[in-house]
Amino acid sequence: MWVSIRNFLMQSKVVLWAYVLVTIVASLHLYIISKHVAIAPPYTDYNNYVIFKLSFFHLLDGKNLYIHHLTEQWDLYKYSPTFALAMGVLAKIPDYIAMPAWNLLNALALYAAVRKLPFTTRNQTLMLWFILLELLTSLQNTQSNGLMAALMIGTYNSLQSGKAWKAALWVALAAFIKIYAVIVVCLFIFYPDKLKFIGWGIVWAVLLAVLPLVVISPQMLVWQYNNWVVMMGQDEAMSYGMSVLGWLHTWFGLNGGKGVVTAVGIVLFFVPFARIKMYKNEVFRLLMLAFMLIWVIIFNHKAESPTYILVLTGVGIWYFARPRTAIHQALMAFVFVVSCMTPTDLFPHDFRHNFLEVYFIKAVPAIVLWVVIFVEVMTLKSGETERRAIG
């Protein structure tokens, strides 16, 4: 019986339908409880989507996108004016349709990106099951993190297939959603056609930057970008996040040193790029992609639980990029239990609230795995056969 169940779950159509059904059910549940649970008007349990939707109308009305609009939403909008324009596609559609559609975009984009990774179909399927629970956390918060992970992986996939123009587009789109994702641009160093990639990157960046001019004036657009910069600067100093900074703060009482920790993180990020002879090694490239997906969260002062789909995706890539050992399997289980399971109802509410959340326990496996990947990237032998490792 267990063999039959396993074979059933390993079918590509099954995992695809699981992504679709989980997304739709989670989205409709959010919509329903927002209608029936007492929440201070006009707020909903899918407030992030509301922020995205309303940003389109704020853009059209000439309002500052980057201040609190507390009569409409309870948090700040932090994305680009271009993203606000793009949300116009969904903004006028009823929430019970548009919000699930937004979540489906995130879920299916990530599904498609994983399916193009250079792993066997079986390993792709296993990875998709592994990250689904963490993706659900992001979907329940109607965030854009699934899409961010998809665009970052898509950059790698396009560079692998020699499509510099498409890779540059994915980088540009990611950066105009969440600016930190621009870090994936560093992957182009490992591939030929560098000038073509840079040229296309400039083209896409300029086009996306000026796209809101179809609905607002140049002066208004410059004003909105200036507002964005001001908001990001103010936001920088407000928290430690579920990150290395948050871990140092909650575990060791570090109340300062944010600049030092960030600087150390940046230096360590660029150290593996010194291994120039490894640039053509596919395993090295995959490990660097995993390295980036995790780094961009654990060194992010605004990292929170729903962003950890990027971490889990990075962990999945790391796990399937080369032959697995017992240590790899133990680390994989460590990440799944501590990062994925601890926020769920399997753990008592008081224990979660008073210990796991207070001490950012979810961040610990991410930090450990990032260190492990750093060591593996620095010690990977150039003679390791890529196809053996990935197959």
Side-chain angles (χ1 to χ4, degrees):
M1 182 181 72
W2 291 112
V3 173
S4 298
I5 293 174
R6 183 188 63 188
N7 291 339
F8 175 75
L9 293 176
M10 292 304 295
Q11 296 180 40
S12 297
K13 290 183 179 180
V14 172
V15 69
L16 174 59
W17 277 110
Y19 268 61
V20 172
L21 291 175
V22 165
T23 302
I24 292 175
V25 170
S27 301
L28 293 179
H29 176 257
L30 270 178
Y31 181 81
I32 292 170
I33 63 175
S34 290
K35 292 295 182 182
H36 294 91
V37 176
I39 300 176
Y43 306 142
T44 72
D45 272 7
Y46 53 93
N47 184 70
N48 286 308
Y49 173 75
V50 172
I51 293 173
F52 301 154
K53 175 183 73 172
L54 293 181
S55 68
F56 172 71
F57 299 109
H58 294 161
L59 182 71
L60 294 183
D61 294 340
K63 296 179 180 179
N64 187 342
L65 292 171
Y66 305 101
I67 61 173
H68 283 288
H69 299 276
L70 295 178
T71 60
E72 301 171 290
Q73 60 200 44
W74 58 259
D75 202 357
L76 287 168
Y77 174 78
K78 300 173 183 177
Y79 298 175
S80 70
T82 304
F83 181 78
L85 176 67
M87 287 306 298
V89 175
L90 297 174
K92 296 183 179 181
I93 301 174
D95 288 355
Y96 61 84
I97 297 175
M99 186 263 288
W102 164 250
N103 274 343
L104 276 172
L105 171 63
N106 279 264
L108 296 183
L110 182 55
Y111 176 91
V114 171
R115 281 300 185 196
K116 290 185 178 297
L117 284 169
F119 302 147
T120 62
T121 301
R122 179 179 182 277
N123 286 347
Q124 291 172 354
T125 301
L126 287 171
M127 180 175 165
L128 286 165
W129 283 120
F130 172 71
I131 65 176
L132 180 57
L133 180 60
E134 196 62 39
L135 175 63
L136 177 60
T137 299
S138 181
L139 297 176
Q140 289 173 325
N141 288 270
T142 59
Q143 293 201 8
S144 61
N145 301 305
L147 181 58
M148 299 309 301
L151 290 171
M152 293 177 76
I153 296 172
T155 301
Y156 167 86
N157 290 334
S158 295
L159 286 169
Q160 279 287 109
S161 60
K163 298 176 180 177
W165 68 270
K166 186 180 290 187
L169 175 60
W170 301 148
V171 173
L173 286 172
F176 275 86
I177 300 174
K178 288 191 174 182
I179 192 66
Y180 65 66
V182 74
I183 198 69
V184 78
V185 74
C186 295
L187 286 173
F188 92 97
I189 297 173
F190 305 144
Y191 297 89
D193 296 328
K194 292 179 177 59
L195 291 178
K196 184 183 295 185
F197 176 87
I198 293 171
W200 275 111
I202 294 171
V203 169
W204 292 128
V206 171
L207 288 175
L208 290 173
V210 303
L211 193 58
L213 291 177
V214 300
V215 296
I216 61 175
S217 68
Q219 294 80 5
M220 181 65 69
L221 182 58
V222 171
W223 179 66
Q224 292 287 13
Y225 277 116
N226 181 66
N227 294 335
W228 191 20
V229 172
V230 170
M231 184 276 295
M232 294 294 285
Q234 294 172 343
D235 196 50
E236 167 70 26
M238 292 177 64
S239 69
Y240 291 98
M242 194 175 286
S243 62
V244 172
L245 280 166
W247 171 65
L248 292 173
H249 173 68
T250 56
W251 284 42
F252 305 104
L254 180 69
N255 295 316
K258 183 178 290 190
V260 174
V261 173
T262 302
V264 171
I266 292 173
V267 171
L268 291 176
F269 177 86
F270 285 107
V271 167
F273 289 89
R275 302 199 69 193
I276 298 174
K277 293 182 179 180
M278 296 297 296
Y279 284 7
K280 294 183 179 180
N281 186 294
E282 191 173 4
V283 175
F284 178 82
R285 293 169 174 173
L286 279 166
L287 290 179
M288 285 301 295
L289 174 61
F291 182 80
M292 292 180 189
L293 283 163
I294 300 174
W295 183 93
V296 82
I297 299 302
I298 66 171
F299 285 98
N300 182 354
H301 72 286
K302 298 299 291 184
E304 54 186 346
S305 184
T307 66
Y308 268 63
I309 181 58
L310 278 82
V311 170
L312 267 290
T313 302
V315 172
I317 292 171
W318 159 79
Y319 183 75
F320 290 110
R322 59 192 308 202
R324 278 83 68 189
T325 66
I327 294 176
H328 286 83
Q329 294 169 352
L331 287 170
M332 191 76 157
F334 174 54
V335 171
F336 187 77
V337 172
V338 178
S339 288
C340 290
M341 302 300 291
T342 51
T344 71
D345 290 337
L346 290 176
F347 292 81
H349 175 271
D350 290 344
F351 180 64
R352 295 200 316 267
H353 182 70
N354 298 323
F355 178 72
L356 297 176
E357 295 175 8
V358 170
Y359 291 98
F360 290 160
I361 301 301
K362 183 168 183 169
V364 175
I367 297 169
V368 171
L369 258 293
W370 183 78
V371 173
V372 169
I373 295 172
F374 177 82
V375 172
E376 292 190 358
V377 165
M378 296 305 298
T379 58
L380 187 70
K381 297 179 181 179
S382 59
E384 183 168 342
T385 304
E386 294 96 336
R387 194 53 54 194
R388 173 178 62 83
I390 297 173

